[in-house]
Amino acid sequence: SNGMFGGDSFEGKENYPTTGGQGNLAITIPRDASGVKDRGGRDHKDRRDEDRAKFNQIKAMLEKKLVSNAALRKLAKNVRFTETREGLRIDLIDEADFAMFGMGTDRLLPQARGLISEVARVISGVPNDVIVRGHTDGLPYASGRTMNNWLLSSSRAEATRKALADSGIANARFAKIEGVADRDPYRQRHL
């Protein structure tokens, strides 16, 4: 069952339910793709420098909001910022003392909803698109269930998109939402 193709073991006698934990989210603000040097636009370095300045501003604003909000202050450790080739990625990380979703569901818990609302307030001030990715752990669901980690991660991404939209992010700004199950675990990625 842990081999190349995954799935259930032929000899498996127990169906282990997933914890539904590790509901990490990645909210990415893509780089500005407008303009190219040969069309009279800004060159790549200028756009990259502008994006980096914008990303640093977003990071500073969100960190300040988290520190100034007593209810969210303890969640600051669950927020990580990484500049990637794609853009600024804001990771919201599950830990032992903080879960974003009800176990095995796409129901955002109140603290997570508050955290996503703060993220929305900060990113509402920039014109960039937004990409939302949902992640899950790799524990399998019991055989015969209609839910699986692919559906769960996609549902969590959609729940997050809805929470961001409810907090003022226009639907036109969402470039994509996607569920990646356990195929893209959280790790620091560099440029």
Side-chain angles (χ1 to χ4, degrees), residues 92-163:
L92 308 181
I93 310 294
D94 270 0
E95 291 189 1
D97 61 346
F98 171 70
M100 285 180 289
F101 296 94
M103 188 174 291
T105 73
D106 61 359
R107 183 179 44 85
L108 278 164
L109 297 176
Q111 280 187 314
R113 191 170 292 282
L115 184 57
I116 289 170
S117 181
E118 288 299 332
V119 170
R121 284 189 190 99
V122 170
I123 67 174
S124 66
V126 296
N128 301 57
D129 285 344
V130 177
I131 298 169
V132 181
R133 285 188 186 95
H135 303 255
T136 62
D137 59 26
L139 296 176
Y141 275 84
S143 295
R145 295 206 40 199
T146 57
M147 181 56 78
N148 61 55
N149 284 319
W150 288 105
L151 289 171
L152 182 60
S153 62
S154 297
S155 295
R156 287 177 171 181
E158 169 54 17
T160 303
R161 185 213 56 81
K162 184 177 183 320

Side-chain angles (χ1 to χ4, degrees), residues 1-2 5-15 143:
S1 66
N2 291 326
F5 298 108
D8 292 334
S9 167
F10 287 118
E11 293 96 30
K13 293 182 175 53
E14 297 178 356
N15 291 320
S143 295

Side-chain angles (χ1 to χ4, degrees), residues 20-166:
Q22 299 304 309
N24 300 342
L25 289 170
I27 300 168
T28 302
I29 293 61
R31 295 181 182 282
D32 182 4
S34 63
V36 292
K37 195 170 189 175
D38 59 347
R39 292 186 190 160
R42 297 164 296 162
D43 68 20
H44 178 72
K45 183 182 181 315
D46 289 341
R47 285 194 322 272
R48 190 182 66 224
D49 291 346
E50 285 178 24
D51 281 337
R52 182 163 287 140
K54 192 185 316 177
F55 295 163
N56 286 334
Q57 182 181 15
I58 290 170
K59 178 181 175 185
M61 287 173 61
L62 187 52
E63 286 173 337
K64 183 177 177 182
K65 282 187 176 275
L66 291 174
V67 169
S68 65
N69 183 325
L72 297 177
R73 188 175 302 131
K74 63 184 177 207
L75 300 181
K77 67 181 174 31
N78 299 90
V79 181
R80 315 269 167 79
F81 300 89
T82 309
E83 189 177 344
T84 68
R85 286 184 186 92
E86 194 171 29
L88 175 67
R89 192 179 73 225
I90 304 169
D91 290 301
L92 308 181
I93 310 294
D94 270 0
E95 291 189 1
D97 61 346
F98 171 70
M100 285 180 289
F101 296 94
M103 188 174 291
T105 73
D106 61 359
R107 183 179 44 85
L108 278 164
L109 297 176
Q111 280 187 314
R113 191 170 292 282
L115 184 57
I116 289 170
S117 181
E118 288 299 332
V119 170
R121 284 189 190 99
V122 170
I123 67 174
S124 66
V126 296
N128 301 57
D129 285 344
V130 177
I131 298 169
V132 181
R133 285 188 186 95
H135 303 255
T136 62
D137 59 26
L139 296 176
Y141 275 84
S143 295
R145 295 206 40 199
T146 57
M147 181 56 78
N148 61 55
N149 284 319
W150 288 105
L151 289 171
L152 182 60
S153 62
S154 297
S155 295
R156 287 177 171 181
E158 169 54 17
T160 303
R161 185 213 56 81
K162 184 177 183 320
L164 288 166
D166 290 347

